[in-house]
Each structure stands twice: as C-alpha cells, then as structure tokens.
Amino acid sequence: MEDIGRGKRANRAYTLDDVAIVPSRRTRGAEQVNLAWRIDAMSFEFPLIAAPMDSVMSPATAIEFGRLGGLGVLNLEGLWTRYDDPEPLLAELAAIPDQAGATARMQRLYAAPIRPELIGARLAEVRDAGVPVAGSLSPQNAREFADVVVRANPDFFVIRGTAVSAEHVSDVAEPLNLKKFIYELDVPVIVGGCATYQTALHLMRTGAAGVLVGYGGAATSTTRQVLGIEVPMATAISDVAEARRDYLDESGGRYVHVIADGSIGRSGDLVKALACGADAAMIGVPLARSVDAPGHGYHWGAEAWHDPLPRGRRVHFDPVGSLEEILLGPSRLPDGTMNLVGALRRALASCGYTEVKEFQRIELVIRH
C-alpha cells in the first residue's frame, strides 16, 4: 500500500509492460512444447480465444479460427445478428474518415433490434463447418436470448461485459442472478470481466468453466478517460490466479480456467499473461491486423456504440497477413504481430518448460 496524500491509500499494481519473464537454467527444443489447452470437454491446439468483436469475428473468421485450432466467439449482439447481410455496413463504417462520424453511425446501426432467428442461424453456420461453437452476450441480454443460444447447441456460452459481478443491484431491471442462471444452463459458461481476487472468487462460485480477467478491448477502449476505470493486467491476472487456487481447495478440486482478456496486442503480451497465471487469452487486436478481418483494417468493441455514453473508439491497424499467418506463421515481421503460437512455443522452450501449466511458475521481474 502507498499513501496518496493524507486521506487515501492505494495498492501498487503492474501492467504487462511492467514485467518480464526470466529464463531458467534449462532450455528445450521447441518441438518438445505442448500448447494444447483443455477446458470442460473441449480440447484446442493452443490457448487462444478470438474476442467477440464485430471487427474481427464473423461466422467465416470464427470458422477459420476454429479450423486452425482455437476457439472463435461470435458477438451475438453485433451486426451479424441484427442484419441479414452486414458486409456492406462494415464496408461503410470503414469508409468513414472521422471518429465522431463513425461513432454516430455505429450508434444508429447497432440500434436495430437483435433478431433471435439470426442468432440461431449464425451459430448453426459455425456448427455446420465442424468446428467448436461459441457465442457471447452481455449480462443485460443474457437472460432474454439464452433459450435461443442454448437451442443452437453451442460448445460455450460467453457472458462478457466491461465489469461483471455475481451480484448486480438495480431499481429499474431485474438483476441477472449468475449462479442460478449458470446452474440452469446445460452449456459451459465463460464469464467476465473481473479484475480482483474477491470478484473472481464470486464468479467462480457461480459454476463458470472460465473467468475472463480484464475488461477487453484495451486498444479500443476509452473507459479510463470516461469512467476512470483501468485494469493493470499483470496484477489482475496474478490476483485472479490466486482466487483460482483458493477456489480449487474450497470446492474440493474444481478447476476454473483464468482467461486474460485485454492488453494483449503482441505475442510478448500473450507470453507474459500466461506467465502471470492465465490458462489462456482472449485476443482482438492481433486479429484486427488480419487481411481477413471483417473490420477492413478498423477495430472496435461493444463500448463504441453505447447510445448515451460511448466508451470506445475505432482504431485503425495496417494488415500484416492472413489469419493463419498471424496465428501460426510464418512471420515476416520482427515485432510480435505474426506467428503468435510460434512465439509462445519458443518462449516456453527458451525458459525450459513444456506446458503452460508449468510455465505459470516462471520467475518474473519488474522492469522499472
């Protein structure tokens, strides 16, 4: 704790930029590293989840992400569940040069109602491709559309918001009781975001299979400027990993996966997130650099179209390669934007580890 003047004390916290990993005395060949990740009954080639953001995930890119070995999550409140063909609208947004104009247009486009039949159709499209299926709703819409999602038989139901708690109090709407809601669902749930030990512990007690750490969309979010809320990810991941350990003891052996969601723009960020204790990471920015991304070089999150109080911006990225090249390489750039899986494999090998679970015990240093 540190003093902020006479009347307030605060914890010191660290971002992923503040820490670095320390290699051990042993190194290994990269071929010895196993990056396979298993959550609930599903196994994946690598511990990466594609963020449910319209700028990076369409049914086509979710299918491709799954084909490559990861889990793509569709935004079930996005343009793909509001319009029969959102492609012209995505192209229109990419052609708007100024931020204010883009925000105003997004607010109008996303004001269209969510269509339940499109939720089912989009999830079915991914299912028919033979890859894992996942869809995301905010806590505000989870109850209304849960039956539609469950009927589509997804492998995972993601409940994702800026700040999600197990107990929400409101005078104008019936709050979502996450523990009851998740218990009654016949689908594994991943829920978040959260940033503290206590909140994570509460979310784990709801029966979730995974907990998202962070508020997502760090590059596109203006939540710090608008609300004064920020998540120093290194500290947050470490705190939630401790909650995972304590809940494992409390529950008699139930393991809840910790998934970093935010501030992961390059492969080095991914490596450090896992070193801090995450089991997997949800990524958006790296995928926005793909030539396949539906955002046409632009990237934005759900906060960007919020009607009374937008808390996000549209960010532009120059494409660097295909989705496959960004995930699996080969890389043509030395800046951590391509071959994320290869970089993670190389980092574990350089530090002498063969699995992510072991790598979570790696020593860290604070850079300054």
Side-chain angles (χ1 to χ4, degrees):
M1 298 288 291
E2 295 194 4
D3 292 326
I4 303 176
R6 292 175 179 266
K8 183 69 72 173
R9 305 193 76 198
N11 288 317
R12 179 182 290 274
Y14 299 97
T15 70
L16 294 176
D17 286 337
D18 293 329
V19 301
I21 60 174
V22 180
S24 65
R25 61 181 176 85
R26 179 186 292 115
T27 58
R28 297 182 182 273
E31 75 283 353
Q32 292 189 328
V33 176
N34 176 19
L35 295 179
W37 176 50
R38 183 177 180 85
I39 176 172
D40 201 71
M42 299 294 296
S43 296
F44 301 94
E45 295 295 319
F46 45 79
L48 292 177
I49 304 176
M53 304 167 82
D54 280 354
S55 50
V56 296
M57 278 291 105
S58 65
T61 53
I63 290 168
E64 177 67 1
F65 198 87
R67 184 188 69 80
L68 294 170
L71 176 64
V73 183
L74 287 178
N75 174 18
L76 301 182
E77 301 175 18
L79 298 178
W80 290 93
T81 58
R82 298 175 193 260
Y83 299 93
D84 290 313
D85 181 13
E87 291 282 8
L89 303 178
L90 291 163
E92 177 191 340
L93 286 174
I96 300 174
D98 64 296
Q99 191 71 253
T103 297
R105 184 57 178 146
M106 279 193 285
Q107 287 174 319
R108 292 193 294 271
L109 289 176
Y110 284 95
I114 299 169
R115 294 163 54 186
E117 72 276 12
L118 286 179
I119 291 178
R122 304 309 187 197
L123 292 174
E125 184 178 346
V126 180
R127 169 71 65 196
D128 290 344
V131 300
V133 184
S136 175
L137 290 170
S138 66
Q140 293 86 348
N141 287 316
R143 182 189 291 107
E144 181 178 356
F145 297 106
D147 289 345
V148 180
V149 176
V150 171
R151 282 198 298 271
N153 193 30
D155 296 296
F156 293 95
F157 189 160
V158 179
I159 302 175
R160 185 176 186 252
T162 301
V164 178
S165 64
E167 181 180 355
H168 177 70
V169 180
S170 174
D171 291 331
V172 297
E174 182 184 355
L176 177 66
N177 183 325
L178 273 175
K179 187 170 186 177
K180 183 174 184 290
F181 181 78
I182 291 174
Y183 177 80
E184 293 175 349
L185 283 178
D186 193 25
V187 179
V189 173
I190 296 172
V191 63
C194 70
T196 66
Y197 169 94
Q198 201 62 50
T199 304
L201 197 58
H202 286 167
L203 291 179
M204 291 173 184
R205 289 168 177 161
T206 65
V211 170
L212 298 171
V213 185
Y215 298 154
T220 64
S221 174
T222 58
T223 301
R224 179 184 179 183
Q225 293 95 316
V226 178
L227 301 181
I229 296 174
E230 184 180 14
V231 179
M233 284 294 288
T235 297
I237 294 169
S238 177
D239 285 349
V240 175
E242 182 71 4
R244 174 188 60 204
R245 192 197 70 164
D246 290 349
Y247 179 69
L248 187 69
D249 293 338
E250 173 190 306
S251 63
R254 186 172 182 274
Y255 190 91
V256 179
H257 291 258
V258 173
I259 302 165
D261 182 16
S263 300
I264 300 176
R266 299 174 189 270
S267 56
D269 303 323
L270 168 62
V271 172
K272 289 187 282 187
L274 299 187
C276 287
D279 297 291
M282 180 172 277
I283 56 174
V285 166
L287 307 183
R289 297 188 176 102
S290 165
V291 295
D292 311 309
H296 302 280
Y298 285 94
H299 185 42
W300 64 89
E303 301 85 1
W305 72 76
H306 194 275
D307 187 26
L309 189 66
R311 302 182 302 280
R313 57 176 171 258
R314 188 189 58 159
V315 180
H316 183 264
F317 293 102
D318 292 325
V320 298
S322 67
L323 186 60
E324 182 170 3
E325 290 171 326
I326 287 171
L327 289 174
L328 304 179
S331 173
R332 297 182 298 276
L333 299 171
D335 59 2
T337 59
M338 301 181 74
N339 197 2
L340 303 184
V341 175
L344 179 58
R345 189 182 304 278
R346 178 64 59 182
L348 265 67
S350 298
C351 295
Y353 293 92
T354 59
E355 295 183 349
V356 170
K357 200 65 204 163
E358 299 172 349
F359 184 63
Q360 292 171 346
R361 299 194 296 266
I362 186 74
E363 184 179 346
L364 294 175
V365 294
I366 299 170
R367 295 180 60 239
H368 53 75

